Amino acid sequence: MDCKKPNLYNSYFNYGNIDYYNKINAALGIINNEVPVNTEYGYLELYVTKNLGKDIATDAVVTIYARQGDEFHIPVEKVVIVNNPTIIELPIAHKLGNLIKGPEYYFTTYNLTIESEGYYKVTTLNIRLFPEIKASFFYNLNKIVQGVPIDEKVTNIPPHPRDEIINNNISLMNHKK
């Protein structure tokens, strides 16, 4: 019986050139989780007050969102403030969020909102966590003043110039249309 081994070299290169081979293997690496995704955790240390820092905002609700693409924000954690500081543990690379390749490791950015009845909403965009590091944020909620336009505070932390989005969960973006 004559057993022939398949010629893998020819089957890969029948499609053109080595670039095709590299693209296929790169895609399979991401699908098979061969990308060295960071499995460590980072921490948000939140101090939330009202009345110019006199009182702890014990009824404030903090919602953490993982970013998917540019328009989707998936809630991944919801916490009611009980005391200061409030520490929230989050994965550096969240499975529901964008996977971003930074200069040293892969990570996910998070968005945060703080809401409390009778106070303006506070939003922070593009929070970047580092492995085993606490990122501290200090917030003071401002009372809603009747007759004054909405004064929501939005802080946008700019990305690092070397950050590169690896996946942006396009399948979820297509469902919105």
Side-chain angles (χ1 to χ4, degrees):
M1 186 176 266
D2 186 15
C3 294
K4 289 188 175 183
K5 292 183 183 176
N7 188 340
L8 296 177
Y9 180 83
N10 285 337
S11 63
Y12 281 125
F13 291 99
N14 283 341
Y15 295 101
N17 58 21
I18 196 158
D19 289 332
Y20 180 80
Y21 172 80
N22 288 338
K23 286 179 187 176
I24 294 297
N25 281 332
L28 289 174
I30 290 173
I31 292 169
N32 292 328
N33 293 326
E34 291 178 12
V35 173
V37 174
N38 197 320
T39 57
E40 296 180 285
Y41 286 82
Y43 304 91
L44 283 175
E45 181 179 51
L46 303 176
Y47 294 85
V48 183
T49 62
K50 50 187 169 182
N51 302 325
L52 299 175
K54 294 178 187 173
D55 302 319
I56 297 173
T58 55
D59 58 346
V61 177
V62 176
T63 307
I64 308 292
Y65 301 88
R67 295 181 54 218
Q68 288 188 339
D70 291 330
E71 298 180 25
F72 284 96
H73 308 282
I74 305 301
V76 294
E77 189 80 33
K78 190 173 263 195
V79 176
V80 176
I81 298 296
V82 176
N83 55 18
N84 281 337
T86 298
I87 298 175
I88 302 170
E89 178 184 68
L90 294 165
I92 299 301
H94 200 285
K95 63 184 176 183
L96 295 177
N98 290 343
L99 182 61
I100 301 171
K101 180 181 178 186
E104 296 181 25
Y105 55 86
Y106 291 82
F107 65 96
T108 297
T109 57
Y110 293 95
N111 293 341
L112 168 145
T113 61
I114 302 172
E115 298 177 276
S116 182
E117 190 173 327
Y119 292 85
Y120 293 110
K121 180 168 90 171
V122 175
T123 303
T124 302
L125 305 174
N126 300 318
I127 296 172
R128 185 178 184 171
L129 298 179
F130 297 92
E132 304 303 319
I133 302 290
K134 278 191 248 178
S136 297
F137 290 88
F138 297 83
Y139 297 99
N140 183 67
L141 302 179
N142 296 317
K143 272 192 174 189
I144 294 175
V145 178
Q146 297 301 325
V148 175
I150 295 175
D151 185 27
E152 292 182 3
K153 182 178 180 181
V154 177
T155 304
N156 189 359
I157 301 170
H160 192 281
R162 292 187 288 179
D163 291 347
E164 174 187 339
I165 295 179
I166 300 299
N167 74 333
N168 59 1
N169 294 305
I170 293 170
S171 62
L172 288 175
M173 290 176 63
N174 290 336
H175 290 298
K176 184 179 179 187
K177 294 179 181 176

